[in-house]
Amino acid sequence: MGFRKDFLWGGATAANQCEGGYNEGGRGLANVDVSPVGKDRFAVIAGKMKMFDFDDEHFYPAKEAIDMYHHFREDIKLFAEMGFKTYRCSIAWSRIFPNGDETEPNEEGLKFYEELFKECHKYGIEPLVTITHFDCPMHLVTEYGAWRNRKLVGFYENLCNVIFRRYKGLVKYWLTFNEINMILHAPFMGAGLYFEEGEDEEKIKYQAAHHELVASAIATKIAHEVDPNNMVGCMLAAGQTYPYSCHPNDVWKGMNADRENYFFIDVQSRGQYPKYAIKEMERKGIMPVMEEGDLELLKNHTVDFISFSYYSSRCASADPEVNKLTEGNIFASLKNPYLDASEWGWQIDPLGLRITMNTLYDRYQKPLFIVENGLGAIDTPDENGYVKDDYRIDYLRAHIKAMRDAVVEDGVDLLGYTTWGPIDLVSAGTGEMKKRYGFIYVDRDNEGNGTLKRSKKKSFDWYKKVIASNGEDLE
Ligand code: P53
Protein backbone atom coordinates (compact mmCIF):
# COMPACT_ATOMS: atom_id res chain seq x y z
CA MET A 1 0.00 0.00 0.00
CA GLY A 2 1.21 3.45 -0.91
CA PHE A 3 -0.55 6.78 -1.21
CA ARG A 4 -4.33 6.90 -1.36
CA LYS A 5 -5.86 6.43 -4.81
CA ASP A 6 -7.20 9.98 -4.92
CA PHE A 7 -3.91 11.48 -3.69
CA LEU A 8 -3.68 15.10 -4.81
CA TRP A 9 -0.33 15.60 -6.57
CA GLY A 10 0.40 19.04 -7.86
CA GLY A 11 2.17 22.34 -7.40
CA ALA A 12 1.63 25.58 -5.48
CA THR A 13 1.97 29.26 -6.31
CA ALA A 14 0.85 32.60 -4.87
CA ALA A 15 -0.83 35.39 -6.82
CA ASN A 16 1.70 38.12 -6.08
CA GLN A 17 4.68 35.91 -6.91
CA CYS A 18 3.52 34.91 -10.37
CA GLU A 19 0.55 36.91 -11.72
CA GLY A 20 1.98 40.36 -12.30
CA GLY A 21 -0.65 42.55 -14.00
CA TYR A 22 -0.59 44.57 -10.77
CA ASN A 23 -2.72 47.39 -12.19
CA GLU A 24 -4.79 45.46 -14.71
CA GLY A 25 -8.43 44.46 -14.59
CA GLY A 26 -9.21 47.09 -11.99
CA ARG A 27 -6.81 45.58 -9.43
CA GLY A 28 -5.83 47.74 -6.47
CA LEU A 29 -2.36 48.10 -4.97
CA ALA A 30 -1.31 45.66 -2.20
CA ASN A 31 1.43 45.38 0.42
CA VAL A 32 3.11 42.62 -1.59
CA ASP A 33 3.51 44.91 -4.63
CA VAL A 34 5.66 47.44 -2.83
CA SER A 35 8.18 44.94 -1.42
CA PRO A 36 11.36 45.52 -3.47
CA VAL A 37 14.13 43.11 -4.39
CA GLY A 38 17.49 43.83 -2.76
CA LYS A 39 18.93 44.86 0.53
CA ASP A 40 15.93 46.81 1.84
CA ARG A 41 13.45 44.01 1.34
CA PHE A 42 13.86 42.40 4.71
CA ALA A 43 13.31 45.70 6.56
CA VAL A 44 10.19 46.32 4.46
CA ILE A 45 8.61 42.89 4.94
CA ALA A 46 9.46 43.01 8.65
CA GLY A 47 7.45 46.26 8.99
CA LYS A 48 10.51 48.29 9.97
CA MET A 49 10.94 50.36 6.83
CA LYS A 50 7.98 52.26 5.50
CA MET A 51 7.24 51.47 1.84
CA PHE A 52 3.61 52.25 1.05
CA ASP A 53 4.13 53.09 -2.61
CA PHE A 54 6.66 52.62 -5.40
CA ASP A 55 9.75 54.82 -5.57
CA ASP A 56 12.35 55.29 -8.32
CA GLU A 57 15.26 53.73 -6.45
CA HIS A 58 13.91 50.23 -6.08
CA PHE A 59 12.82 47.43 -8.40
CA TYR A 60 9.50 45.82 -7.51
CA PRO A 61 9.41 42.28 -8.93
CA ALA A 62 5.74 41.56 -8.17
CA LYS A 63 4.55 44.22 -10.63
CA GLU A 64 5.06 41.88 -13.59
CA ALA A 65 6.34 38.76 -11.86
CA ILE A 66 6.16 35.98 -14.50
CA ASP A 67 3.04 37.55 -16.01
CA MET A 68 0.84 34.56 -15.29
CA TYR A 69 -2.05 37.00 -15.54
CA HIS A 70 -1.66 36.66 -19.29
CA HIS A 71 -0.03 33.20 -19.46
CA PHE A 72 -2.28 31.15 -17.19
CA ARG A 73 -3.75 29.00 -19.96
CA GLU A 74 -0.31 28.06 -21.25
CA ASP A 75 0.95 27.39 -17.71
CA ILE A 76 -2.01 25.27 -16.63
CA LYS A 77 -1.64 23.26 -19.83
CA LEU A 78 1.93 22.46 -18.82
CA PHE A 79 0.77 21.49 -15.31
CA ALA A 80 -1.79 19.19 -16.93
CA GLU A 81 0.93 17.64 -19.05
CA MET A 82 2.75 16.67 -15.84
CA GLY A 83 -0.49 15.06 -14.70
CA PHE A 84 -1.36 17.48 -11.88
CA LYS A 85 -4.43 16.46 -9.89
CA THR A 86 -4.46 19.77 -8.07
CA TYR A 87 -3.11 23.28 -8.50
CA ARG A 88 -2.70 25.48 -5.46
CA CYS A 89 -2.99 29.18 -6.23
CA SER A 90 -4.13 32.22 -4.31
CA ILE A 91 -6.65 34.93 -4.91
CA ALA A 92 -5.30 38.48 -4.96
CA TRP A 93 -7.68 40.23 -2.56
CA SER A 94 -7.20 43.56 -4.36
CA ARG A 95 -8.44 42.07 -7.65
CA ILE A 96 -11.78 41.33 -5.99
CA PHE A 97 -11.93 44.36 -3.70
CA PRO A 98 -9.36 46.87 -5.04
CA ASN A 99 -9.43 48.93 -1.84
CA GLY A 100 -10.59 46.16 0.45
CA ASP A 101 -13.45 48.10 2.02
CA GLU A 102 -15.91 48.39 -0.88
CA THR A 103 -19.35 46.83 -0.60
CA GLU A 104 -19.45 45.64 -4.21
CA PRO A 105 -16.76 43.38 -5.70
CA ASN A 106 -14.88 44.07 -8.93
CA GLU A 107 -16.44 41.85 -11.60
CA GLU A 108 -13.31 41.78 -13.76
CA GLY A 109 -11.29 40.31 -10.91
CA LEU A 110 -13.94 37.70 -10.16
CA LYS A 111 -14.08 36.77 -13.81
CA PHE A 112 -10.32 36.29 -14.01
CA TYR A 113 -10.31 33.61 -11.31
CA GLU A 114 -13.45 32.01 -12.66
CA GLU A 115 -11.69 31.49 -15.97
CA LEU A 116 -8.57 30.25 -14.26
CA PHE A 117 -10.53 27.66 -12.22
CA LYS A 118 -12.46 26.56 -15.30
CA GLU A 119 -9.19 26.13 -17.16
CA CYS A 120 -8.02 23.79 -14.36
CA HIS A 121 -11.20 21.72 -14.54
CA LYS A 122 -10.76 21.35 -18.28
CA TYR A 123 -7.88 19.03 -17.40
CA GLY A 124 -9.43 17.48 -14.30
CA ILE A 125 -7.26 19.61 -12.03
CA GLU A 126 -8.85 20.45 -8.67
CA PRO A 127 -8.01 23.99 -7.57
CA LEU A 128 -6.71 24.43 -4.01
CA VAL A 129 -7.18 28.08 -3.19
CA THR A 130 -5.41 30.20 -0.60
CA ILE A 131 -7.70 33.10 0.29
CA THR A 132 -4.84 35.31 1.42
CA HIS A 133 -1.25 34.54 0.60
CA PHE A 134 0.62 37.40 2.33
CA ASP A 135 -1.46 40.03 0.54
CA CYS A 136 -3.50 42.89 1.93
CA PRO A 137 -4.98 45.75 -0.13
CA MET A 138 -2.80 48.82 0.39
CA HIS A 139 -5.79 50.99 1.26
CA LEU A 140 -6.45 48.73 4.25
CA VAL A 141 -2.84 49.21 5.32
CA THR A 142 -2.84 53.01 5.06
CA GLU A 143 -6.39 53.70 6.26
CA TYR A 144 -6.84 51.03 8.91
CA GLY A 145 -3.38 49.77 9.91
CA ALA A 146 -4.19 46.40 8.29
CA TRP A 147 -4.79 43.42 10.59
CA ARG A 148 -4.12 45.34 13.79
CA ASN A 149 -7.60 46.76 13.17
CA ARG A 150 -10.68 44.70 14.06
CA LYS A 151 -12.43 46.07 10.98
CA LEU A 152 -10.29 43.78 8.82
CA VAL A 153 -12.32 40.83 10.09
CA GLY A 154 -15.42 42.30 8.47
CA PHE A 155 -13.65 43.11 5.21
CA TYR A 156 -12.27 39.58 5.03
CA GLU A 157 -15.72 38.22 5.76
CA ASN A 158 -17.08 40.19 2.77
CA LEU A 159 -14.39 38.70 0.58
CA CYS A 160 -15.25 35.18 1.75
CA ASN A 161 -18.96 35.71 1.23
CA VAL A 162 -18.33 36.73 -2.34
CA ILE A 163 -15.79 34.08 -3.36
CA PHE A 164 -17.45 31.07 -1.72
CA ARG A 165 -20.69 31.86 -3.50
CA ARG A 166 -19.16 32.77 -6.82
CA TYR A 167 -16.85 29.73 -6.98
CA LYS A 168 -19.26 27.18 -5.56
CA GLY A 169 -18.81 23.98 -7.55
CA LEU A 170 -15.51 25.22 -8.98
CA VAL A 171 -13.44 25.21 -5.79
CA LYS A 172 -13.70 22.72 -2.95
CA TYR A 173 -10.35 23.04 -1.12
CA TRP A 174 -9.66 26.33 0.65
CA LEU A 175 -6.86 27.63 2.88
CA THR A 176 -7.68 30.67 4.99
CA PHE A 177 -4.26 32.29 5.60
CA ASN A 178 -0.96 31.23 4.10
CA GLU A 179 1.65 30.50 6.77
CA ILE A 180 -0.38 32.24 9.45
CA ASN A 181 2.59 32.09 11.82
CA MET A 182 4.59 34.29 9.41
CA ILE A 183 2.94 37.28 11.10
CA LEU A 184 5.53 36.82 13.87
CA HIS A 185 8.51 36.71 11.52
CA ALA A 186 7.66 39.05 8.62
CA PRO A 187 4.62 41.03 9.80
CA PHE A 188 4.33 43.45 6.87
CA MET A 189 4.45 40.60 4.38
CA GLY A 190 2.36 38.36 6.59
CA ALA A 191 -0.34 40.80 7.67
CA GLY A 192 0.34 44.28 6.33
CA LEU A 193 1.66 45.40 9.73
CA TYR A 194 4.00 48.36 9.91
CA PHE A 195 5.35 49.65 13.23
CA GLU A 196 6.00 53.21 14.34
CA GLU A 197 8.90 53.97 16.70
CA GLY A 198 8.18 52.93 20.26
CA GLU A 199 5.18 50.72 19.54
CA ASP A 200 4.82 47.40 21.36
CA GLU A 201 5.34 45.16 18.34
CA GLU A 202 4.51 41.92 20.11
CA LYS A 203 1.24 43.24 21.43
CA ILE A 204 0.22 44.41 17.97
CA LYS A 205 1.23 41.13 16.36
CA TYR A 206 -0.82 39.04 18.77
CA GLN A 207 -3.80 41.36 18.44
CA ALA A 208 -3.58 41.06 14.66
CA ALA A 209 -3.16 37.29 15.02
CA HIS A 210 -6.37 37.16 17.05
CA HIS A 211 -8.17 39.03 14.28
CA GLU A 212 -6.87 36.61 11.68
CA LEU A 213 -7.85 33.61 13.79
CA VAL A 214 -11.39 34.93 14.21
CA ALA A 215 -11.53 35.73 10.48
CA SER A 216 -10.33 32.21 9.73
CA ALA A 217 -13.11 30.72 11.88
CA ILE A 218 -15.71 32.93 10.16
CA ALA A 219 -14.38 31.83 6.76
CA THR A 220 -14.69 28.20 7.81
CA LYS A 221 -18.24 28.81 8.99
CA ILE A 222 -19.32 30.47 5.75
CA ALA A 223 -17.53 27.90 3.58
CA HIS A 224 -19.43 25.07 5.27
CA GLU A 225 -22.75 26.93 5.10
CA VAL A 226 -22.41 27.74 1.42
CA ASP A 227 -21.36 24.22 0.48
CA PRO A 228 -21.08 21.33 2.95
CA ASN A 229 -18.61 19.75 0.51
CA ASN A 230 -16.11 22.54 1.08
CA MET A 231 -12.92 21.47 2.84
CA VAL A 232 -11.14 24.23 4.75
CA GLY A 233 -7.59 24.04 5.99
CA CYS A 234 -5.24 26.11 8.11
CA MET A 235 -1.69 26.60 6.86
CA LEU A 236 1.50 26.53 8.93
CA ALA A 237 5.09 27.32 8.00
CA ALA A 238 6.26 24.09 9.59
CA GLY A 239 9.58 22.42 10.32
CA GLN A 240 10.32 20.73 13.62
CA THR A 241 12.77 22.47 15.95
CA TYR A 242 15.50 20.16 17.22
CA PRO A 243 17.34 20.81 20.48
CA TYR A 244 20.96 21.59 19.64
CA SER A 245 22.03 19.15 22.35
CA CYS A 246 20.35 16.82 24.85
CA HIS A 247 20.77 19.45 27.56
CA PRO A 248 17.29 19.89 29.05
CA ASN A 249 17.59 23.65 28.57
CA ASP A 250 18.02 23.10 24.82
CA VAL A 251 15.07 20.73 24.72
CA TRP A 252 12.94 23.27 26.56
CA LYS A 253 14.03 26.03 24.21
CA GLY A 254 13.22 23.93 21.14
CA MET A 255 9.83 22.97 22.48
CA ASN A 256 8.91 26.59 23.06
CA ALA A 257 10.17 27.66 19.66
CA ASP A 258 7.74 25.16 18.12
CA ARG A 259 4.89 26.24 20.38
CA GLU A 260 5.25 29.82 19.12
CA ASN A 261 4.19 28.46 15.73
CA TYR A 262 1.82 25.68 16.82
CA PHE A 263 -0.14 28.23 18.81
CA PHE A 264 -2.02 29.33 15.68
CA ILE A 265 -2.86 25.81 14.56
CA ASP A 266 -3.92 24.85 18.08
CA VAL A 267 -6.56 27.57 17.88
CA GLN A 268 -7.65 26.78 14.32
CA SER A 269 -7.73 23.02 14.78
CA ARG A 270 -8.67 22.49 18.45
CA GLY A 271 -10.86 25.57 18.68
CA GLN A 272 -9.31 27.23 21.67
CA TYR A 273 -6.27 29.16 22.81
CA PRO A 274 -3.79 26.70 24.34
CA LYS A 275 -3.05 27.19 28.05
CA TYR A 276 0.67 27.73 27.50
CA ALA A 277 -0.11 30.66 25.17
CA ILE A 278 -2.61 32.25 27.55
CA LYS A 279 -0.06 32.07 30.39
CA GLU A 280 2.66 33.55 28.22
CA MET A 281 0.50 36.39 26.91
CA GLU A 282 -0.66 37.21 30.43
CA ARG A 283 2.92 37.27 31.70
CA LYS A 284 3.96 39.61 28.90
CA GLY A 285 0.86 41.79 29.17
CA ILE A 286 -0.03 41.23 25.52
CA MET A 287 -3.35 39.44 25.89
CA PRO A 288 -5.38 40.48 22.82
CA VAL A 289 -8.66 42.34 23.16
CA MET A 290 -11.48 39.97 22.29
CA GLU A 291 -15.09 40.60 21.45
CA GLU A 292 -18.03 38.74 22.80
CA GLY A 293 -18.65 35.67 20.70
CA ASP A 294 -15.05 35.33 19.51
CA LEU A 295 -14.24 32.31 21.64
CA GLU A 296 -17.45 30.62 20.57
CA LEU A 297 -16.64 31.20 16.90
CA LEU A 298 -13.20 29.70 17.39
CA LYS A 299 -14.69 26.73 19.23
CA ASN A 300 -17.44 25.99 16.71
CA HIS A 301 -15.62 26.41 13.41
CA THR A 302 -12.41 24.45 13.37
CA VAL A 303 -10.63 23.43 10.19
CA ASP A 304 -11.13 20.16 8.30
CA PHE A 305 -7.47 19.52 7.59
CA ILE A 306 -4.00 20.77 8.47
CA SER A 307 -1.87 22.06 5.64
CA PHE A 308 1.71 23.18 5.92
CA SER A 309 4.87 24.15 4.10
CA TYR A 310 8.06 22.27 4.80
CA TYR A 311 11.48 23.26 3.56
CA SER A 312 13.72 22.54 6.50
CA SER A 313 13.95 21.57 10.14
CA ARG A 314 15.22 24.10 12.68
CA CYS A 315 17.57 24.01 15.60
CA ALA A 316 17.55 25.77 18.99
CA SER A 317 20.04 26.17 21.80
CA ALA A 318 19.85 27.82 25.21
CA ASP A 319 23.61 28.30 25.29
CA PRO A 320 24.58 31.89 24.44
CA GLU A 321 27.95 30.70 23.08
CA VAL A 322 26.28 28.42 20.56
CA ASN A 323 23.63 30.99 19.76
CA LYS A 324 26.29 33.41 18.59
CA LEU A 325 26.52 31.36 15.42
CA THR A 326 22.96 32.13 14.45
CA GLU A 327 22.53 33.58 11.01
CA GLY A 328 19.76 36.04 10.32
CA ASN A 329 16.98 34.76 8.09
CA ILE A 330 13.19 35.06 8.25
CA PHE A 331 13.21 32.09 10.56
CA ALA A 332 16.42 32.41 12.52
CA SER A 333 17.88 28.95 13.00
CA LEU A 334 21.16 27.55 14.17
CA LYS A 335 23.27 25.65 11.74
CA ASN A 336 22.73 21.94 12.21
CA PRO A 337 26.17 20.30 11.84
CA TYR A 338 24.62 17.09 10.45
CA LEU A 339 22.84 18.71 7.51
CA ASP A 340 23.78 20.15 4.12
CA ALA A 341 22.19 23.40 3.04
CA SER A 342 20.90 24.98 -0.16
CA GLU A 343 22.63 27.93 -1.82
CA TRP A 344 20.43 30.14 0.34
CA GLY A 345 21.42 28.37 3.55
CA TRP A 346 18.16 26.42 3.93
CA GLN A 347 19.14 23.14 5.54
CA ILE A 348 18.11 19.99 3.74
CA ASP A 349 16.45 17.41 5.97
CA PRO A 350 14.07 14.85 4.40
CA LEU A 351 13.70 12.85 7.62
CA GLY A 352 12.67 16.13 9.23
CA LEU A 353 9.59 16.06 7.01
CA ARG A 354 8.62 12.63 8.35
CA ILE A 355 9.26 13.85 11.89
CA THR A 356 7.20 17.01 11.31
CA MET A 357 4.32 15.02 9.77
CA ASN A 358 4.22 12.66 12.73
CA THR A 359 4.31 15.49 15.24
CA LEU A 360 1.45 17.31 13.51
CA TYR A 361 -0.64 14.17 13.11
CA ASP A 362 -0.10 13.16 16.75
CA ARG A 363 -1.06 16.64 17.86
CA TYR A 364 -4.20 17.21 15.75
CA GLN A 365 -5.35 13.84 14.40
CA LYS A 366 -6.73 15.48 11.30
CA PRO A 367 -5.72 14.79 7.69
CA LEU A 368 -2.57 16.59 6.62
CA PHE A 369 -1.83 18.28 3.31
CA ILE A 370 1.73 19.23 2.33
CA VAL A 371 1.12 22.36 0.29
CA GLU A 372 4.73 23.54 -0.15
CA ASN A 373 8.06 21.77 -0.41
CA GLY A 374 10.95 22.27 -2.76
CA LEU A 375 14.47 23.48 -3.42
CA GLY A 376 15.25 27.07 -4.32
CA ALA A 377 18.36 26.90 -6.50
CA ILE A 378 20.29 28.69 -9.25
CA ASP A 379 19.58 27.04 -12.58
CA THR A 380 21.92 27.43 -15.53
CA PRO A 381 20.40 26.51 -18.91
CA ASP A 382 22.79 24.80 -21.35
CA GLU A 383 23.37 26.04 -24.92
CA ASN A 384 19.96 24.65 -25.93
CA GLY A 385 18.24 26.37 -23.04
CA TYR A 386 17.79 23.08 -21.18
CA VAL A 387 18.18 22.89 -17.38
CA LYS A 388 19.46 19.58 -16.01
CA ASP A 389 18.30 20.06 -12.44
CA ASP A 390 19.34 16.75 -10.88
CA TYR A 391 19.88 18.55 -7.56
CA ARG A 392 16.17 19.45 -7.52
CA ILE A 393 15.15 15.91 -8.42
CA ASP A 394 17.38 14.59 -5.60
CA TYR A 395 15.79 16.95 -3.08
CA LEU A 396 12.24 16.10 -4.08
CA ARG A 397 12.89 12.36 -4.35
CA ALA A 398 14.27 12.24 -0.81
CA HIS A 399 11.34 14.24 0.56
CA ILE A 400 8.72 12.18 -1.25
CA LYS A 401 10.35 9.00 0.12
CA ALA A 402 10.21 10.40 3.65
CA MET A 403 6.60 11.42 3.13
CA ARG A 404 5.77 7.93 1.88
CA ASP A 405 7.38 6.46 5.00
CA ALA A 406 5.18 8.68 7.15
CA VAL A 407 2.11 7.44 5.28
CA VAL A 408 2.98 3.77 4.81
CA GLU A 409 5.09 3.02 7.87
CA ASP A 410 3.57 5.42 10.38
CA GLY A 411 -0.05 5.64 9.20
CA VAL A 412 -0.25 9.40 8.77
CA ASP A 413 -3.35 10.43 6.80
CA LEU A 414 -2.13 12.64 3.92
CA LEU A 415 -4.45 14.24 1.37
CA GLY A 416 -1.89 15.48 -1.08
CA TYR A 417 1.42 17.09 -1.93
CA THR A 418 2.03 20.26 -3.91
CA THR A 419 5.60 21.31 -4.60
CA TRP A 420 6.38 25.00 -4.25
CA GLY A 421 6.72 26.95 -7.48
CA PRO A 422 6.18 24.26 -10.16
CA ILE A 423 6.97 27.11 -12.51
CA ASP A 424 9.78 29.54 -11.59
CA LEU A 425 8.41 32.58 -9.76
CA VAL A 426 9.45 35.51 -7.59
CA SER A 427 10.91 34.56 -4.19
CA ALA A 428 8.87 35.72 -1.21
CA GLY A 429 11.86 36.02 1.09
CA THR A 430 14.30 37.77 -1.21
CA GLY A 431 12.26 39.00 -4.20
CA GLU A 432 14.75 37.32 -6.54
CA MET A 433 13.93 35.45 -9.73
CA LYS A 434 17.18 33.49 -9.65
CA LYS A 435 16.03 31.51 -6.61
CA ARG A 436 14.14 29.00 -8.70
CA TYR A 437 11.89 26.12 -7.67
CA GLY A 438 10.26 25.17 -10.95
CA PHE A 439 9.90 22.17 -13.23
CA ILE A 440 9.30 24.88 -15.80
CA TYR A 441 11.99 27.48 -16.48
CA VAL A 442 10.94 31.09 -17.02
CA ASP A 443 13.28 33.40 -18.90
CA ARG A 444 13.46 36.36 -16.53
CA ASP A 445 16.15 37.70 -14.21
CA ASN A 446 16.35 39.64 -10.94
CA GLU A 447 16.20 42.98 -12.76
CA GLY A 448 13.18 42.08 -14.85
CA ASN A 449 15.00 41.29 -18.13
CA GLY A 450 13.99 38.29 -20.23
CA THR A 451 11.41 37.05 -22.71
CA LEU A 452 9.20 35.26 -20.12
CA LYS A 453 9.44 32.18 -22.35
CA ARG A 454 8.56 28.94 -20.57
CA SER A 455 10.60 25.73 -21.06
CA LYS A 456 10.66 22.30 -19.44
CA LYS A 457 13.54 21.34 -17.17
CA LYS A 458 14.72 17.77 -16.60
CA SER A 459 12.61 17.62 -13.43
CA PHE A 460 9.45 18.15 -15.53
CA ASP A 461 9.57 14.63 -16.95
CA TRP A 462 10.68 13.20 -13.64
CA TYR A 463 7.70 14.64 -11.72
CA LYS A 464 5.36 13.49 -14.48
CA LYS A 465 6.57 9.93 -13.91
CA VAL A 466 6.19 10.28 -10.13
CA ILE A 467 2.58 11.35 -10.50
CA ALA A 468 1.75 8.71 -13.14
CA SER A 469 3.00 6.00 -10.76
CA ASN A 470 1.27 7.58 -7.73
CA GLY A 471 4.62 8.04 -6.05
CA GLU A 472 5.99 4.54 -6.70
CA ASP A 473 8.50 5.37 -9.42
CA LEU A 474 10.94 7.93 -8.01
CA GLU A 475 13.98 7.06 -10.13
P1 P53 B 1 11.23 31.85 -0.78
C1 P53 B 1 10.49 31.60 4.88
C2 P53 B 1 10.50 30.39 5.55
C3 P53 B 1 9.55 29.44 5.27
C4 P53 B 1 8.58 29.69 4.30
O1 P53 B 1 10.29 30.93 0.12
C5 P53 B 1 8.57 30.88 3.64
C6 P53 B 1 9.52 31.84 3.91
C7 P53 B 1 9.53 33.12 3.17
O2 P53 B 1 10.77 33.30 2.58
O3 P53 B 1 7.60 31.21 2.75
C8 P53 B 1 6.94 30.23 1.97
O4 P53 B 1 10.38 32.32 -1.90
C9 P53 B 1 5.83 30.98 1.29
C10 P53 B 1 6.02 31.16 -0.19
C11 P53 B 1 7.49 31.25 -0.49
C12 P53 B 1 8.13 29.92 -0.14
O5 P53 B 1 7.93 29.61 1.23
O6 P53 B 1 11.68 32.94 0.10
O7 P53 B 1 4.54 30.48 1.57
O8 P53 B 1 5.29 32.29 -0.57
O9 P53 B 1 7.78 31.61 -1.79
C13 P53 B 1 9.62 29.85 -0.43
O10 P53 B 1 12.34 30.98 -1.25
Side-chain angles (χ1 to χ4, degrees), residues 11-19 27 32 68 87-93 95-96 112-113 116-117 127-135 163 167 174-178 372 420:
T13 64
N16 77 88
Q17 294 173 252
C18 61
E19 276 177 15
R27 184 184 179 282
V32 284
M68 208 192 247
Y87 167 43
R88 175 180 175 226
C89 60
S90 81
I91 284 181
W93 189 345
R95 283 200 193 284
I96 313 296
F112 170 69
Y113 292 108
L116 192 150
F117 300 148
L128 162 60
V129 178
T130 317
I131 300 169
T132 45
H133 192 122
F134 295 154
D135 66 319
I163 60 178
Y167 304 129
W174 299 92
L175 306 179
T176 54
F177 289 90
N178 181 62
E372 286 183 32
W420 178 251

Side-chain angles (χ1 to χ4, degrees), residues 13-14 16-17 45 88 133-134 178-179 182 186 189 235 237-238 309-311 314 329-331 344 346 372 376 420-421 425-432 435 437:
T13 64
N16 77 88
Q17 294 173 252
I45 66 179
R88 175 180 175 226
H133 192 122
F134 295 154
N178 181 62
E179 295 188 339
M182 198 57 91
M189 179 167 82
M235 203 294 201
S309 61
Y310 177 85
Y311 295 90
R314 300 159 192 153
N329 206 324
I330 286 188
F331 275 93
W344 274 265
W346 291 26
E372 286 183 32
W420 178 251
L425 38 63
V426 176
S427 158
T430 71
E432 293 166 291
K435 189 180 186 190
Y437 287 86

Side-chain angles (χ1 to χ4, degrees), residues 251-264:
V251 177
W252 180 240
K253 181 100 185 238
M255 177 176 176
N256 283 307
D258 274 344
R259 279 177 157 182
E260 250 183 44
N261 298 306
Y262 289 147
F263 149 75
F264 297 87

